[in-house]
Structure formats: C-alpha cells, structure tokens
Amino acid sequence: MTGPSMPHSIPVMRRLGAGNTSGNCVIGLCERIKGQGDKMNGAQQRKVLVLDAMGVLYQACDDVQELLIPYITSLNKDIGADTIKRLYVEASLGRMTSNRFWNAVDVPSENEDDYLSRHRCSDGLFKFLDSIRSRVDGIVCLSNDVSEWSIKLRKRFALDQYISEWFISADIGIRKPDPEIYLKVDKFFQGSKTSFFFFDDNPKNVVAAERIGWHGYVFNQNSRRSYKEGTLSIVDSFGEAESIITGRV
C-alpha cells in the first residue's frame, strides 16, 4: 500500500545529512511519514507554526559568535570568548538575570539596549507573517535566549502581533535540542491534535523536533551553508516555507 502523494505545489527541497545524527534523522523521517498517514485517516488537525528566533526571525544565526562576543570584547579586552559563551549559556538557562550577566562580563548593563540594537529582522519576515497567519492556527517562537533580551527584541519589532506564545529557554530552564523543551510546546497545544511545522537554522534542533513527530525544516536563508544531500529538508526562503505549510495539510 502506498502512502499519500505530495501535492504538486510543494517545491522540491534539498535534503541534508546531519553527520553522526543520521540515524536520528531517519527515525524522525519515519515518524513524520507515519504522522501524515494518521492525519489522512483521521480528522483535520490544527496547524501550528513554530519558529526559531536567531537565524529565522532575526538575521544573526549565531548571535553569540556574530554579535555578542565582538560587542563585549570591544568594551572589555581582558575577557575571552569561551568565558562569554559559558556565561551566556547560564543566562539562557535562566540561571542569572541579564543584569548579572553584564556584571559578570564587566560591561555596564546600561549597554544592553545598544547591544540589542545590532539585531535585524530577517528579510521578508513580515510579508511572510502577514500572509501565513490566516492559514495556520497559531504562530509561536521556540528559542534559546535570555529572557530580558527576548522580550526587548519582540517589543522593538512588534512581533507579538503575529506570535502568540514565546517558549524561551531561560523561562523554561531547558535549551534546544533537549527534547523536553519541544514537549512543552507539544503539551501546550495538545500535540496529538496538532500538526507542528518547525523552522530552525540548526540541523541538530530540527532532528530533535522530528524525533517527537514534528515536521522539521532547516531554514537556510540567512546562513546559506552548503549541505550534503541527506535526510533533513532545507528551505532557503520564507516563500518556500509558506508553500510547504499551505500545501502539506
């Protein structure tokens, strides 16, 4: 017995390998195919769009490496990149406030807004959100981030008008790709009745999402990395993402 054919409107996507996680990718792919079959045989499910922040909502894919480290080291030349990364992870797990973070890196906390002003939204983001929000049952953000920074950025770009829920690592105490953070989203939306479409620029995070049955895609618009052919789907633009979401269910 053959499975349901894919709609012709869906663009042909490249597939990428995720190194030694390929076994997990295969598991995720099998779960995804099974989930599609279940939906075809049952009632229509809700569609929820889950977006990463860095590399999807915002242009910087690795904000720590691209923005945070250069900013801090320009003001404090005595601190090393490894120390900044370690302290950032602690803050992104909710183990210290942003004020404590700035104090730990010996940069005045008053510089926080100046640092955050370096972030930019991804090209085409608002056109995509305007178009897609009437075609899904919810848009949420799932991000590894510092609570205070996440709040300031979403307010600065008025993203709350599109994104109803924000699942931020510092608020939950868990970082992607830990499966528990995905399950928090799943539980919130009663996952058995919901089809999740997840876009993240980090393949490891996509693998983790697929393992719990989500439709996962590596969003490559901002990083433009070169990937080998494999088992994960790559999308290179918001237009391609919209075609997938509106065509698959």
Side-chain angles (χ1 to χ4, degrees):
M1 179 177 178
T2 59
S5 59
M6 298 296 287
H8 294 297
S9 62
I10 297 174
V12 177
M13 293 176 293
R14 293 176 294 132
R15 313 289 291 180
L16 68 91
N20 58 14
T21 63
S22 58
N24 292 338
C25 295
V26 173
I27 293 171
L29 185 60
C30 291
E31 290 174 345
R32 198 168 69 190
I33 292 171
K34 177 182 180 297
Q36 291 173 11
D38 291 342
K39 286 181 287 181
M40 294 295 291
N41 295 325
Q44 183 78 9
Q45 290 192 327
R46 294 178 302 173
K47 288 189 286 187
V48 171
L49 173 60
V50 185
L51 301 173
D52 178 32
M54 302 306 161
V56 180
L57 296 180
Y58 309 117
Q59 289 182 6
C61 295
D62 185 346
D63 57 322
V64 176
Q65 191 65 43
E66 297 173 39
L67 301 176
L68 186 61
I69 291 174
Y71 184 80
I72 291 174
T73 55
S74 71
L75 298 171
N76 177 6
K77 301 188 184 302
D78 295 326
I79 192 169
D82 289 343
T83 300
I84 296 171
K85 289 179 183 178
R86 176 178 57 80
L87 292 168
Y88 169 79
V89 169
E90 290 291 300
S92 71
L93 283 167
R95 295 172 182 169
M96 65 169 67
T97 64
S98 64
N99 281 342
R100 283 185 59 196
F101 170 82
W102 292 114
N103 183 63
V105 298
D106 199 20
V107 171
S109 60
E110 291 78 8
N111 286 61
E112 180 167 277
D113 290 345
D114 182 47
Y115 161 66
L116 293 174
S117 71
R118 283 149 172 76
H119 284 276
R120 299 288 183 271
C121 283
S122 296
D123 292 340
L125 173 66
F126 292 102
K127 180 180 179 181
F128 168 68
L129 292 175
D130 277 325
S131 178
I132 202 66
R133 64 177 168 179
S134 63
R135 303 183 184 187
V136 296
D137 299 295
I139 305 175
V140 305
C141 176
L142 177 60
S143 175
N144 293 338
D145 204 351
V146 178
S147 293
E148 295 90 341
W149 300 356
S150 174
I151 292 169
K152 285 186 175 182
L153 285 173
R154 75 183 75 156
K155 287 183 177 179
R156 174 187 169 196
F157 295 110
L159 289 172
D160 280 329
Q161 64 180 307
Y162 302 101
I163 299 173
S164 59
E165 302 294 334
W166 296 78
F167 294 85
I168 306 302
S169 61
D171 298 330
I172 302 170
I174 311 168
R175 285 172 53 91
K176 296 178 292 185
D178 188 316
E180 288 301 318
I181 197 169
Y182 302 87
L183 293 173
K184 292 282 187 182
V185 182
D186 203 88
K187 182 178 181 180
F188 182 88
F189 286 99
Q190 299 179 324
S192 63
K193 302 176 182 178
T194 306
S195 181
F196 294 95
F197 293 80
F198 177 61
F199 296 85
D200 195 299
D201 65 302
N202 188 328
K204 291 181 180 179
N205 296 339
V206 175
V207 169
E210 289 208 327
R211 292 197 70 183
I212 66 165
W214 290 11
H215 306 300
Y217 306 89
V218 177
F219 189 76
N220 201 39
Q221 173 176 294
N222 293 313
S223 64
R224 291 295 178 181
R225 298 187 184 99
S226 296
Y227 291 112
K228 294 181 180 179
E229 295 297 311
T231 56
L232 291 178
S233 301
I234 312 168
V235 297
D236 290 324
S237 69
F238 286 117
E240 190 175 347
E242 182 173 352
S243 295
I244 293 165
I245 297 163
T246 57
R248 289 195 61 164
V249 177

